[in-house]
Amino acid sequence: MAAQLSLGNRQITRILRSSSGRFEQISGIVPDVNSAAHRQAVLIGPNDLRVRTQTGGTPGAGELLITPDAVGVCGTDLELLAGTMGYLTDGGATYPIVPGHEWTGVVDSVGPGVNGFAIGDRVVGECSIGCGVCGVCAAGRYHLCPDRTETGILNRAGGMASTLVFPARAAHRLPPSVDPLDAALIEPLAVAYRGLHRLPAAPIGPIAIVGAGTIGLLCALAARAIGMGPVLLVEHHAARRRFSAGLGFDAVATVPHRFSQVIDATGTPSGTAAAVQGTADGGTIVVLGLCGRPSVPVDLDSLVLRDLAMVGSLGSPGVWPEVIDLVATGRVLPSTIVSHEFALDEATDAFTRARDADPATRKVVVRPQRSAASRQAASLQAATDPERPGTASW
């Protein structure tokens, strides 16, 4: 059920989807971030995550000041925490890092020269942000720009904070009816959607998705929404197979036969090996998961002798309007995979929950504008409200 949150001192009205699926108009508050301390989760170094307070930023030319209210914890965030993420090991990124590339929030103020955004707009933002002027960006491959930043990963602060200064050219407005939990997962949904489109355009047929974590499930949901498939999820954890079945997908522990189209969404050596083994001669494997290791054994002879194509997929360039439409029209509701929510002050607990690899933990989300006390109260309400499916922590 929708609830009013007292977060600051500016009143706005918004439409939110309740747990029953109805749309309700409620009053909300946008905090006056210019008069409040700015809090952010910060990765100081490997296995060192802290929440600290400092002066908030103001938007410059072409920028928005945003109040994030839902931020997903991703496998890439866990690699940043561990110090194994490729950008750290090759020197491209350095600590400290404010994580949070899967985020949504509300516009608090608009910098000079910005058009198309207003205070109170719900927005999401892309992860890869190119320079916008080089030949790579001009070709639409801004996710490969040599001077790019990546939100919450590479030389740009992420959304796991009470405020976020963000370039308007990389932000997208959402209809007010989109729930914050759905909005926060538009970024990983866009990654999944783009991965699906790295598969050959023809023939369209069955797709095996190895791994039923966040990206694997979002691939399956997106594929079904756009008419690809049928989809088979391959997952060795029984709890994840049961959850996948509850979403209406067939899920098995091992690949039953070879598929011409396979997505590896595991980020593990064993998952990659299963994907290669499960691909039919002449087929294509799209690799979406980062493993955080310097190398992973791959049977290169099998790739050559069976004429396999193995394709990486980085980010989500050029697909955001299509993905936003999938969510805004209700064809994909990413929030269905959220299992835990935490306050910003509980960021360490959120990362621990995500890292512990409990099969019952699907997607962990941090809510920067909520307190631990309100989280505990909401958990109590969820436990006593039979209409509210709720998440384990909120």
Side-chain angles (χ1 to χ4, degrees), residues 276 296-308 310:
V276 172
V296 172
V298 175
D299 185 351
L300 292 179
D301 285 353
S302 180
L303 291 182
V304 174
L305 293 175
R306 297 201 289 121
D307 200 23
L308 304 181
M310 194 173 213

Side-chain angles (χ1 to χ4, degrees), residues 15 52 77 91 120 122 128 133 137 162 175 193 195 198 241 254 266 272 284 289 336 338 341 370 372 378 385 389:
I15 307 293
R52 67 185 186 187
D77 296 318
R122 174 158 298 285
S128 299
V133 297
C137 288
S162 57
Y193 183 89
R198 298 280 277 172
R241 292 199 300 274
T254 58
T266 65
T272 301
T284 299
T336 56
V338 174
E341 297 176 59
R370 297 187 183 180
D385 184 352

Side-chain angles (χ1 to χ4, degrees), residues 42-50 80-82 95 97 348 355:
V42 185
L43 292 163
I44 304 298
N47 300 309
D48 188 359
L49 174 66
R50 308 177 193 179
L80 292 171
L81 175 65
Y95 297 112
I97 297 170
T348 300
R355 184 179 59 186

Side-chain angles (χ1 to χ4, degrees), residues 19-314:
S19 61
S20 65
R22 297 185 299 270
F23 292 102
E24 301 175 3
Q25 179 170 302
I26 65 166
S27 294
I29 303 291
V30 176
D32 185 352
V33 295
N34 293 315
S35 64
H38 170 71
R39 291 182 62 73
Q40 57 185 195
V42 185
L43 292 163
I44 304 298
N47 300 309
D48 188 359
L49 174 66
R50 308 177 193 179
V51 177
R52 67 185 186 187
T53 301
Q54 64 179 49
T55 303
T58 56
E63 294 181 325
L64 303 170
L65 183 64
I66 296 162
T67 305
D69 57 6
V71 185
V73 179
C74 171
T76 301
D77 296 318
L78 301 181
E79 292 177 16
L80 292 171
L81 175 65
T84 59
M85 201 273 169
Y87 292 153
L88 287 172
T89 58
D90 70 11
T94 57
Y95 297 112
I97 297 170
V98 179
H101 58 280
E102 304 175 356
W103 62 269
T104 185
V106 175
V107 174
D108 181 85
S109 61
V110 177
V114 173
N115 297 310
F117 293 92
I119 292 172
D121 283 347
R122 174 158 298 285
V123 294
V124 290
E126 300 198 26
C127 177
S128 299
I129 304 172
C131 69
V133 297
C134 70
V136 176
C137 288
R141 306 177 73 196
Y142 54 89
H143 65 306
L144 298 177
C145 172
D147 295 320
R148 73 183 181 276
T149 61
E150 295 186 14
T151 309
I153 300 173
L154 180 65
N155 302 323
R156 178 176 294 279
M160 206 165 289
S162 57
T163 63
L164 171 68
V165 175
F166 195 76
R169 64 187 175 88
H172 298 270
R173 291 177 60 217
L174 299 179
S177 57
V178 176
D179 186 274
L181 287 180
D182 289 316
L185 301 191
I186 285 176
E187 193 278 338
L189 179 61
V191 170
Y193 183 89
R194 200 255 181 171
L196 288 170
H197 285 79
R198 298 280 277 172
L199 292 168
I204 299 299
I207 301 170
I209 299 173
V210 183
T214 295
I215 293 296
L217 289 171
L218 292 176
C219 279
L221 290 168
R224 182 167 64 190
I226 62 177
M228 295 180 71
V231 167
L232 178 72
L233 282 159
V234 182
E235 172 58 58
H236 67 280
H237 286 298
R240 289 184 173 181
R241 292 199 300 274
R242 287 193 296 270
F243 183 78
S244 301
L247 294 177
F249 296 106
D250 291 333
V252 296
T254 58
V255 184
H257 57 82
R258 287 179 170 172
F259 289 73
S260 294
Q261 303 181 102
V262 177
I263 289 180
D264 174 15
T266 65
T268 66
S270 60
T272 301
V276 172
Q277 182 61 33
T279 304
D281 293 358
T284 299
I285 309 153
V286 173
V287 182
L288 281 175
L290 293 173
C291 70
R293 301 174 184 228
S295 63
V296 172
V298 175
D299 185 351
L300 292 179
D301 285 353
S302 180
L303 291 182
V304 174
L305 293 175
R306 297 201 289 121
D307 200 23
L308 304 181
M310 194 173 213
V311 181
S313 184
L314 173 66

